[in-house]
Amino acid sequence: MTAAMVENDQASEGRPWDYLLQTWRELDVPEGWRAEIDEGQIVLVPPPHAHHNGIAAKVQRRLYRDLPEELEIYQTLGIHVAPLDKLYVPDLVVMPSELIDAADPESSDPMDASDALLIVEITSKGNAREDRTKKYRAYARAAVPMYLLIDRFDTRGAMATLFTEPNEDGTYKRSDAVPFGKPLLLPEPFGTTLLTADFPA
């Protein structure tokens, strides 16, 4: 499955972020789809495979085991990568619940990516490259402390990689990669180990 572009004259002419954000707010997105803003366009991402959802559920269950009370795990949460004017809807986002509680109830504005402690992306066949490159660079630029990429389509075989220590140049200083079947340690404030052997490949 591939992402579909929402084209319009104003967005394609490079109009400001505010116009794209307003269009994003007003979109009537089909159930299960996600709308993101990337490269000055609104991109519609189709619903993922059942295995994708199964992995997300297992990661979420594991994270909740030792998650501090002030943190929560969110799905379908729009986040704004301010340095690049991008808007993504990651598979999972961990951030302080007080920020969500304080959000304007009348607004559908995205949260700031820099407030996330962990972002999880699980690749699908149609978006694996974006998760490995564009989103990797964007989350690093936004100073997201941890980016967990679960890549069922890695050329080396299914892999889970935790990127930490973001740089302003859009890279992470450290990466810890394991093939499915090997455990992956998530450091504090999570202090848990992902059992990737449980992930459907």
PDB file of all heavy atoms in Angstrom, residues 74 96-105:
ATOM      1  N   TYR A  74       0.112   7.252  23.404  1.00  0.00           N
ATOM      2  CA  TYR A  74      -0.966   7.744  22.548  1.00  0.00           C
ATOM      3  C   TYR A  74      -0.838   7.181  21.141  1.00  0.00           C
ATOM      4  O   TYR A  74       0.254   7.089  20.595  1.00  0.00           O
ATOM      5  CB  TYR A  74      -0.944   9.280  22.501  1.00  0.00           C
ATOM      6  CG  TYR A  74      -1.104   9.896  23.867  1.00  0.00           C
ATOM      7  CD1 TYR A  74       0.019  10.305  24.598  1.00  0.00           C
ATOM      8  CD2 TYR A  74      -2.354  10.038  24.448  1.00  0.00           C
ATOM      9  CE1 TYR A  74      -0.115  10.848  25.867  1.00  0.00           C
ATOM     10  CE2 TYR A  74      -2.497  10.583  25.725  1.00  0.00           C
ATOM     11  CZ  TYR A  74      -1.377  10.985  26.424  1.00  0.00           C
ATOM     12  OH  TYR A  74      -1.510  11.521  27.687  1.00  0.00           O
ATOM     13  N   PRO A  96       4.298  13.333  28.412  1.00  0.00           N
ATOM     14  CA  PRO A  96       3.621  13.624  29.677  1.00  0.00           C
ATOM     15  C   PRO A  96       2.130  13.858  29.467  1.00  0.00           C
ATOM     16  O   PRO A  96       1.725  14.625  28.594  1.00  0.00           O
ATOM     17  CB  PRO A  96       4.327  14.895  30.171  1.00  0.00           C
ATOM     18  CG  PRO A  96       5.675  14.859  29.519  1.00  0.00           C
ATOM     19  CD  PRO A  96       5.436  14.241  28.174  1.00  0.00           C
ATOM     20  N   SER A  97       1.320  13.207  30.280  1.00  0.00           N
ATOM     21  CA  SER A  97      -0.127  13.327  30.139  1.00  0.00           C
ATOM     22  C   SER A  97      -0.611  14.738  30.445  1.00  0.00           C
ATOM     23  O   SER A  97      -1.648  15.163  29.926  1.00  0.00           O
ATOM     24  CB  SER A  97      -0.838  12.321  31.051  1.00  0.00           C
ATOM     25  OG  SER A  97      -0.437  12.491  32.397  1.00  0.00           O
ATOM     26  N   GLU A  98       0.140  15.493  31.252  1.00  0.00           N
ATOM     27  CA  GLU A  98      -0.295  16.843  31.593  1.00  0.00           C
ATOM     28  C   GLU A  98      -0.341  17.744  30.357  1.00  0.00           C
ATOM     29  O   GLU A  98      -1.159  18.669  30.286  1.00  0.00           O
ATOM     30  CB  GLU A  98       0.603  17.461  32.661  1.00  0.00           C
ATOM     31  CG  GLU A  98       2.042  17.703  32.232  1.00  0.00           C
ATOM     32  CD  GLU A  98       2.877  18.349  33.322  1.00  0.00           C
ATOM     33  OE1 GLU A  98       2.350  18.572  34.428  1.00  0.00           O
ATOM     34  OE2 GLU A  98       4.062  18.633  33.050  1.00  0.00           O
ATOM     35  N   LEU A  99       0.513  17.463  29.367  1.00  0.00           N
ATOM     36  CA  LEU A  99       0.497  18.261  28.139  1.00  0.00           C
ATOM     37  C   LEU A  99      -0.761  17.988  27.324  1.00  0.00           C
ATOM     38  O   LEU A  99      -1.349  18.895  26.727  1.00  0.00           O
ATOM     39  CB  LEU A  99       1.732  17.956  27.299  1.00  0.00           C
ATOM     40  CG  LEU A  99       3.079  18.281  27.944  1.00  0.00           C
ATOM     41  CD1 LEU A  99       4.215  17.871  27.024  1.00  0.00           C
ATOM     42  CD2 LEU A  99       3.167  19.768  28.268  1.00  0.00           C
ATOM     43  N   ILE A 100      -1.178  16.739  27.301  1.00  0.00           N
ATOM     44  CA  ILE A 100      -2.410  16.376  26.603  1.00  0.00           C
ATOM     45  C   ILE A 100      -3.607  16.960  27.332  1.00  0.00           C
ATOM     46  O   ILE A 100      -4.527  17.523  26.719  1.00  0.00           O
ATOM     47  CB  ILE A 100      -2.537  14.846  26.489  1.00  0.00           C
ATOM     48  CG1 ILE A 100      -1.331  14.255  25.750  1.00  0.00           C
ATOM     49  CG2 ILE A 100      -3.846  14.462  25.811  1.00  0.00           C
ATOM     50  CD1 ILE A 100      -1.185  14.681  24.318  1.00  0.00           C
ATOM     51  N   ASP A 101      -3.611  16.851  28.652  1.00  0.00           N
ATOM     52  CA  ASP A 101      -4.725  17.369  29.454  1.00  0.00           C
ATOM     53  C   ASP A 101      -4.866  18.882  29.307  1.00  0.00           C
ATOM     54  O   ASP A 101      -5.979  19.421  29.384  1.00  0.00           O
ATOM     55  CB  ASP A 101      -4.537  17.018  30.933  1.00  0.00           C
ATOM     56  CG  ASP A 101      -4.566  15.514  31.178  1.00  0.00           C
ATOM     57  OD1 ASP A 101      -5.073  14.775  30.302  1.00  0.00           O
ATOM     58  OD2 ASP A 101      -4.067  15.073  32.231  1.00  0.00           O
ATOM     59  N   ALA A 102      -3.731  19.575  29.095  1.00  0.00           N
ATOM     60  CA  ALA A 102      -3.748  21.036  29.003  1.00  0.00           C
ATOM     61  C   ALA A 102      -4.064  21.542  27.602  1.00  0.00           C
ATOM     62  O   ALA A 102      -4.213  22.748  27.391  1.00  0.00           O
ATOM     63  CB  ALA A 102      -2.397  21.596  29.448  1.00  0.00           C
ATOM     64  N   ALA A 103      -4.178  20.635  26.628  1.00  0.00           N
ATOM     65  CA  ALA A 103      -4.442  21.048  25.243  1.00  0.00           C
ATOM     66  C   ALA A 103      -5.818  21.697  25.131  1.00  0.00           C
ATOM     67  O   ALA A 103      -6.754  21.350  25.864  1.00  0.00           O
ATOM     68  CB  ALA A 103      -4.343  19.848  24.309  1.00  0.00           C
ATOM     69  N   ASP A 104      -5.943  22.651  24.228  1.00  0.00           N
ATOM     70  CA  ASP A 104      -7.201  23.356  23.996  1.00  0.00           C
ATOM     71  C   ASP A 104      -8.270  22.369  23.524  1.00  0.00           C
ATOM     72  O   ASP A 104      -8.112  21.742  22.478  1.00  0.00           O
ATOM     73  CB  ASP A 104      -6.979  24.438  22.936  1.00  0.00           C
ATOM     74  CG  ASP A 104      -8.213  25.278  22.681  1.00  0.00           C
ATOM     75  OD1 ASP A 104      -9.300  24.933  23.197  1.00  0.00           O
ATOM     76  OD2 ASP A 104      -8.104  26.283  21.952  1.00  0.00           O
ATOM     77  N   PRO A 105      -9.362  22.207  24.280  1.00  0.00           N
ATOM     78  CA  PRO A 105     -10.395  21.244  23.883  1.00  0.00           C
ATOM     79  C   PRO A 105     -11.124  21.634  22.603  1.00  0.00           C
ATOM     80  O   PRO A 105     -11.774  20.800  21.980  1.00  0.00           O
ATOM     81  CB  PRO A 105     -11.349  21.228  25.084  1.00  0.00           C
ATOM     82  CG  PRO A 105     -11.126  22.533  25.775  1.00  0.00           C
ATOM     83  CD  PRO A 105      -9.689  22.879  25.553  1.00  0.00           C
TER      84      PRO A 105
END
